[in-house]
Amino acid sequence: MVLANAKVYTCDEDVTSANAVVIEDGAITFVGDMQSWDNAAELPVYDLGGRTVIPGLIDSHTHPSMVTQSFWHVRLPWTTDVDEILHFIRDYAAAHPPDEVPFLYFEYYPSATFADNPPTKELLDTAVSDRPCLCQDFSEHEHWVNSKMLELMEITRDTPDPVPGLEMFVRDETGAPTGLLREMVHLHFMDKLYEKIGWTPPQELTPERVGRFFRFMTEHGVTALFEALVEDDEILQAIAELDRRGALNMYYEGALRFRNSEDLPAVIEVLERYRTAYASKHVNVNTLKLFLDGTNEVGNSAVLAPMCNHASADHHGDIGMATDELTRCFLMCNAAGVDVHIHVVGDRGFRVACDAVEAARNDLAARGGDWTIQVTLAHCELIDPADMHRPAELGIIVNWTTHWSGGYFGEAAKKHLGDDRWDRMYRFNEIARSGALLTFSSDVVTSYELHRSNPLFGMQVAATRVDPEYPLPSGEYPGSVRPQADAKLSCEMLLAGYTINGAKQMRLADQIGSLEVGKVANLCVLSADLFEVAPSTLSEIKFDAVVFEGRVVAGSL
Ligand SMILES: [Zn+2]
């Protein structure tokens, strides 16, 4: 087919603009000026009426498995009004009797809801008492449950806390649990609860459930994605089945997790087994995932200067591995030809990762070996200005979750990092300007936030530093713009990061990521030009049509 009268952004440096794309047998055979195309084969011509065409988008770090496993959770209205929350729960329970929903799981209530007045089981009992009920706090560090849930988990004043001080039940002066839970303490007792109610949550990764996630991504222009954590091959089986049915419509790569240099060889073996079993045209398993530190909001990221307000004045957060061990891991991965994707949040974590890549490369060079693997650092929320140039020099890819660029996590990190460091979070212009590859992602982990994985929503937040759903208080932050305003990302950078750069991270740039002759015809037709609309309205642009391998898989032309 011929897509004519279009405004084409190719993401190809050689041909940057065009008004026509020709697709034959799923591949692009022409990009350029319609005037110079001779439609001798009489291909069907679609007049796009001046609409915008971009390459199919690439989400370079997301979590299909986790989102799928949370589809049965129920979304609470976003409010700190406790009566409104209880009202919603009461109505939901009434509309869904116990034989239909034996266990009610609600997410989330804002962390500020019960700031001075911790919630109790009795309060939740007023909304639902005929079955277990759990409400999850937005930070996921706290849960509020009813009496029935405590009863079915057999929690009494005599039950010891699994991890005292961390994973525990908040108790009254008599030692009785109040209904407030710290961290995921309930997970130690859920088997007991499920056995008693004779039910388990629908969490198997069936092709139908997984397909719901992929359908959403397809409808929002995503034609390739990287799953940043694959627990086992259940998800790979589901994806292989979707692909067999022609319902995947996606290039997919999954990453397995390793924890240290000791478990790494065994994980590489599993990866090689999965690769043999599942690798196909659309599916790849070629990357390992490592968590190097925690999060800035909890205060367990690895930072260069000490954490503020910590019991020890010399607390630099937590790091999973020292430079030496990480260097050894890189060398093992390089020997096995396996790429590495690292969760790193604090500036010390970032430096250690850079140091280890540098040491591994130097070590190899001294022995005449070749560094062939790709290392991607994901999140990189706080980077020391002195390290901004290092990804470019070391060939490290930096991945950023665009929809976090505003106020999604509120000011929770401020008490650990202090004002200066908080203001310096989420800066990526320096990284890109120094020549490093910047890729973008949604990193959604629950169905609650699935709608935020629309790449145009992420682009909007990164382009404005304003989160329309979770705005920072405008009194303190004029226009709810997150500091610093000069860290807003340009549309050019965002589009490149969501297309050609993402393809490079997934090692698919020879096939996808730009509209070039010879490449696979993955593209999106947009209702408006993303370079011309106000950045604050980017998420209002619609995906009129999404084309995957030359077929329209969402919308219509
Ligand atoms: Zn993630």
Side-chain angles (χ1 to χ4, degrees):
M1 62 181 149
V2 181
L3 303 182
N5 191 14
K7 197 163 177 183
V8 183
Y9 293 101
T10 63
C11 297
D12 166 21
E13 283 173 9
D14 300 326
V15 184
T16 52
S17 74
N19 62 25
V21 179
V22 178
I23 301 168
E24 292 170 272
D25 296 327
I28 297 169
T29 52
F30 175 82
V31 183
D33 187 345
M34 188 64 191
Q35 302 293 327
S36 54
W37 168 258
D38 172 17
N39 194 9
E42 294 184 18
L43 300 171
V45 177
Y46 294 88
D47 184 328
L48 295 188
R51 279 179 297 169
T52 298
V53 171
I54 58 173
L57 299 170
I58 298 173
D59 188 330
S60 303
H61 177 133
T62 186
H63 295 280
S65 302
M66 292 169 81
V67 172
T68 300
Q69 284 164 337
S70 76
F71 276 141
W72 63 285
H73 297 174
V74 183
R75 187 188 173 95
L76 284 176
W78 185 252
T79 175
T80 55
D81 182 334
V82 178
D83 286 336
E84 196 183 332
I85 293 172
L86 289 169
H87 194 79
F88 178 88
I89 293 173
R90 202 172 292 128
D91 283 355
Y92 190 90
H96 303 273
D99 57 341
E100 183 197 328
V101 186
F103 172 39
L104 289 161
Y105 191 121
F106 293 98
E107 61 186 19
Y108 297 99
Y109 60 85
S111 303
T113 310
F114 300 102
D116 313 310
N117 196 11
T120 63
K121 56 182 190 285
E122 290 81 7
L123 185 63
L124 191 51
D125 290 346
T126 66
V128 52
S129 58
D130 61 353
R131 70 196 108 161
C133 176
L134 173 145
C135 302
Q136 196 168 20
D137 154 58
F138 186 68
S139 74
E140 298 196 343
H141 296 295
E142 220 167 74
H143 300 81
W144 171 31
V145 303
N146 66 356
S147 298
K148 197 71 175 176
M149 174 134 180
L150 288 168
E151 179 195 316
L152 291 167
M153 293 194 297
E154 297 177 13
I155 309 303
T156 66
R157 46 169 70 76
D158 302 322
T159 312
D161 286 323
V163 187
L166 186 66
E167 289 180 50
M168 54 180 281
F169 297 93
V170 174
R171 296 164 194 267
D172 64 17
E173 56 285 348
T174 72
T178 63
L180 186 61
L181 280 45
R182 297 255 190 260
E183 300 298 338
M184 301 280 186
V185 62
H186 53 288
L187 294 186
H188 298 271
F189 306 90
M190 290 309 284
D191 287 348
K192 212 175 278 175
L193 182 147
Y194 291 144
E195 203 189 308
K196 287 214 176 105
I197 61 176
W199 178 86
T200 48
Q203 289 184 325
E204 308 93 86
L205 298 170
T206 61
E208 288 68 29
R209 291 202 192 108
V210 173
R212 191 173 144 193
F213 175 94
F214 280 88
R215 190 71 211 145
F216 181 91
M217 301 307 275
T218 298
E219 285 166 358
H220 293 85
V222 176
T223 53
L225 66 83
F226 174 77
E227 174 156 28
L229 186 57
V230 165
E231 294 285 355
D232 55 38
D233 62 350
E234 192 188 8
I235 181 74
L236 300 174
Q237 284 172 16
I239 281 167
E241 178 55 27
L242 282 173
D243 201 21
R244 259 191 296 277
R245 297 177 190 173
L248 185 63
N249 301 322
M250 192 79 65
Y251 285 71
Y252 167 95
E253 178 171 6
L256 288 170
R257 177 180 184 176
F258 75 102
R259 289 178 165 78
N260 49 53
S261 56
E262 269 154 39
D263 77 351
L264 179 54
V267 179
I268 289 175
E269 268 177 40
V270 176
L271 180 143
E272 282 166 351
R273 218 169 56 231
Y274 286 179
R275 190 159 50 190
T276 308
Y278 299 103
S280 68
K281 184 179 173 199
H282 295 144
V283 180
N284 206 354
V285 189
N286 190 49
T287 302
L288 293 182
K289 167 82 179 281
L290 172 72
F291 288 85
L292 194 54
D293 63 355
T295 72
N296 287 318
E297 285 70 34
V298 175
N300 58 358
S301 53
V303 286
L304 292 166
M307 291 285 182
C308 308
N309 305 318
H310 195 270
S312 149
D314 196 32
H315 183 64
H316 290 74
D318 305 314
I319 195 148
M321 216 183 270
T323 310
D324 283 357
E325 186 178 5
L326 186 53
T327 305
R328 286 201 305 281
C329 291
F330 285 146
L331 290 169
M332 275 189 253
C333 290
N334 192 66
V338 174
D339 291 336
V340 187
H341 192 98
I342 303 181
H343 164 115
V344 56
V345 168
D347 51 5
R348 183 162 65 99
F350 189 84
R351 183 167 292 173
V352 165
C354 290
D355 287 349
V357 169
E358 190 170 343
R361 294 187 64 146
N362 288 343
D363 180 276
L364 265 178
R367 291 185 283 122
D370 284 327
W371 174 258
T372 57
I373 61 167
Q374 276 182 183
V375 173
T376 300
L377 302 183
H379 316 319
C380 308
E381 294 181 1
L382 183 68
I383 304 173
D384 191 87
D387 291 328
M388 288 285 185
H389 63 104
R390 298 186 73 194
E393 282 170 17
L394 296 165
I396 293 170
I397 299 170
V398 171
N399 178 270
W400 170 236
T401 296
T402 46
H403 74 96
W404 295 352
S405 304
Y408 197 35
F409 299 127
E411 297 172 280
K414 221 172 203 178
K415 64 176 183 288
H416 304 294
L417 300 179
D419 290 356
D420 167 63
R421 280 185 290 191
W422 195 81
D423 285 352
R424 286 196 289 109
M425 286 170 76
Y426 311 165
R427 294 190 66 89
F428 298 96
N429 280 320
E430 291 86 346
I431 295 279
R433 270 200 299 270
S434 69
L437 211 62
L438 196 54
T439 63
F440 297 120
S441 59
S442 64
D443 200 4
V444 289
V445 295
T446 139
S447 58
Y448 187 92
E449 55 177 6
L450 178 58
H451 65 288
R452 295 173 63 94
S453 63
N454 174 0
L456 287 168
F457 179 82
M459 287 186 193
Q460 174 177 322
V461 182
T464 58
R465 306 274 281 186
V466 177
D467 193 316
E469 295 187 329
Y470 300 87
L472 289 170
S474 57
E476 202 174 335
Y477 306 94
S480 295
V481 178
R482 186 189 182 97
Q484 292 157 333
D486 71 336
K488 291 175 186 173
L489 302 183
S490 70
C491 228
E492 287 83 356
M493 196 184 288
L494 287 162
L495 186 59
Y498 268 112
T499 55
I500 187 65
N501 294 358
K504 288 175 183 168
Q505 184 193 309
M506 290 178 74
R507 292 186 180 269
L508 293 169
D510 57 334
Q511 300 170 62
I512 63 172
S514 60
L515 302 176
E516 282 180 68
V517 171
K519 282 200 180 180
V520 175
N522 292 353
L523 57 84
C524 312
V525 179
L526 303 180
S527 63
D529 183 344
L530 70 169
F531 287 88
E532 281 182 4
V533 303
S536 61
T537 63
L538 275 165
S539 66
E540 291 167 25
I541 297 177
K542 299 279 173 280
F543 291 89
D544 284 350
V546 179
V547 172
F548 180 76
E549 297 183 333
R551 290 178 295 120
V552 177
V553 289
S556 60
L557 289 169

